[in-house]
Amino acid sequence: MNQEKDIPVYMFTGMLESGKTAFLRDTLEGGEFEDGNKSLFILCEEGEIELSEKLLKRNKMSTVVVEDKEDITEEFLKNLEKEYNPDRVVIENNGMWIPQEIIDEFPENWMLVQCINLIDGSTFESYLQNMGSFVMEQVKPADLVVFNRVTDNEVRGGYRRRIKALNRKAQILYEDEKGNLDDAYVESLPFDTDKPVIELEDDDFGLWYMDAMDHPEKYKGKTMKFRALIYRDKNFPEDKLVPGRFAMTCCAADVQFIGFVCHAPNASEFAQKDWAYIEAEARFEYCKDYKGKGIVLYAKEPLKRAEAGEQLVYFT
């Protein structure tokens, strides 16, 4: 019995008119797949831009158009593999289909090696307001999120934080007006990370949390001061709690508590949803709650109670 060969799958996702075909065209023109291997291109959405026959031939790509999502089953994909015998599969997903539902139909030997989500920056906010949960489904499996048509640097930081709240592992890039990747953007923060003591305003907690998730090394050894809502599980040891806030990642139905583990000598004096002033050293170390390394806070003195503040923070 012959063992089935592993098939790498490259998936391009995004809402309607988000620039998927243009990005794939640029990828092919850049020679990314010109290695002599055969590709099966599964096209699930035909937009205004089409890939030329010359370009497809140069990349040894055979195209199969799928118009009905219900047609994509494991049996259907296996039959395509038998018919075309590809070395890899490239899928341009339909903007109204949930990517994970397509991924769930992959045969066992099909491996998703890269998922790229394209986002039209000019319509992103509107989609979040009207179809927030659907946008989240588009972003979830992505390794790379590419924003295009974003001309205002001021909104980039907010967009990045919204994506990171949905998918922490995703790399985020921006394309300029000509379709060229723009990696010159550096986000400014409303607090000085070069200072040994960093005091956060209430509105800054969400910004700090996301930046500390991305760049924990910036805060290693720094003293953090902020007001926070307390989460404390009944099974926590006496010196442990989690100061943080509730955050809305994409829509009102998607609210979660965010924060970092903190060790304090009087942690047991605080109950769920109490408020406290935190003054603690940030360390970057292994924590079993994170299942890996991350920011862990160590209070320098007993925590003080604080007046209640706004429980919900945003990433903008």
Side-chain angles (χ1 to χ4, degrees), residues 4-278:
E4 293 179 317
K5 67 178 181 180
D6 290 334
I7 306 293
V9 181
Y10 299 81
M11 193 173 195
F12 295 79
T13 71
M15 305 297 286
L16 296 169
E17 305 300 327
S18 61
K20 296 187 293 293
T21 306
F23 190 89
L24 177 55
R25 178 197 61 200
D26 294 343
T27 300
L28 296 180
E29 289 178 345
E32 295 294 329
F33 293 152
E34 288 186 43
D35 54 7
N37 291 323
K38 295 187 298 181
S39 297
L40 170 62
F41 177 36
I42 301 178
L43 177 60
C44 305
E45 177 182 283
E46 295 184 272
E48 295 181 359
I49 297 176
E50 295 184 0
L51 301 178
S52 69
E53 289 296 327
K54 181 179 179 180
L55 184 60
L56 292 170
K57 185 176 181 180
R58 195 175 88 196
N59 285 270
K60 301 185 71 172
M61 298 187 80
S62 301
T63 303
V64 173
V65 178
V66 180
E67 297 180 349
D68 190 342
K69 178 177 172 291
E70 302 306 316
D71 289 340
I72 299 185
T73 64
E74 182 177 1
E75 181 180 5
F76 172 75
L77 297 177
K78 282 183 176 179
N79 288 335
L80 290 182
E81 181 182 346
K82 290 177 182 177
E83 181 177 353
Y84 292 94
N85 190 29
D87 297 302
R88 65 172 153 255
V89 171
V90 178
I91 300 175
E92 181 177 335
N93 192 43
N94 186 297
M96 299 307 295
W97 299 354
I98 294 175
Q100 190 59 50
E101 294 180 355
I102 306 301
I103 296 168
D104 289 342
E105 296 296 333
F106 286 1
E108 188 175 350
N109 62 314
W110 286 33
M111 303 178 301
L112 183 64
V113 296
Q114 188 173 38
C115 181
I116 300 176
N117 179 240
L118 281 299
I119 295 177
D120 180 348
S122 66
T123 59
F124 180 58
E125 201 64 43
S126 175
Y127 273 125
L128 276 181
Q129 292 176 5
N130 297 291
M131 303 175 65
S133 60
F134 196 81
V135 173
M136 181 170 62
E137 294 296 339
Q138 295 287 322
V139 171
K140 275 183 179 179
D143 307 291
L144 173 64
V145 174
V146 179
F147 278 93
N148 54 57
R149 305 163 197 163
V150 179
T151 57
D152 184 357
N153 278 348
E154 294 298 320
V155 304
R156 291 187 176 187
Y159 286 178
R160 183 189 67 82
R161 289 186 291 272
R162 300 294 285 271
I163 295 300
K164 284 291 188 179
L166 301 174
N167 182 346
R168 293 175 184 172
K169 69 179 177 66
Q171 181 185 6
I172 299 171
L173 297 176
Y174 303 91
E175 283 189 345
D176 61 22
E177 296 172 334
K178 297 180 179 179
N180 300 314
L181 288 178
D182 178 10
D183 57 2
Y185 171 71
V186 177
E187 182 181 6
S188 60
L189 295 168
F191 45 85
D192 189 348
T193 59
D194 291 329
K195 291 183 176 180
V197 179
I198 302 173
E199 191 162 358
L200 304 176
E201 299 292 336
D202 284 352
D203 292 342
D204 295 342
F205 183 84
L207 306 181
W208 170 64
Y209 176 82
M210 296 308 302
D211 195 57
M213 290 292 294
D214 288 346
H215 309 288
E217 69 284 349
K218 288 165 57 173
Y219 302 96
K220 185 178 179 180
K222 301 293 178 70
T223 296
M224 303 301 306
K225 292 184 177 182
F226 57 94
R227 179 170 62 164
L229 182 68
I230 298 301
Y231 169 80
R232 193 168 192 283
D233 190 274
K234 62 181 180 180
N235 296 318
F236 278 3
E238 290 190 356
D239 73 332
K240 177 182 173 182
L241 47 72
V242 180
R245 298 292 180 89
F246 287 100
M248 185 170 67
T249 55
C250 74
C251 57
D254 184 41
V255 174
Q256 59 181 318
F257 187 82
I258 60 172
F260 295 114
V261 168
C262 178
H263 295 282
N266 63 333
S268 61
E269 298 175 7
F270 291 83
Q272 198 85 307
K273 294 191 176 181
D274 281 347
W275 286 82
Y277 286 111
I278 309 299

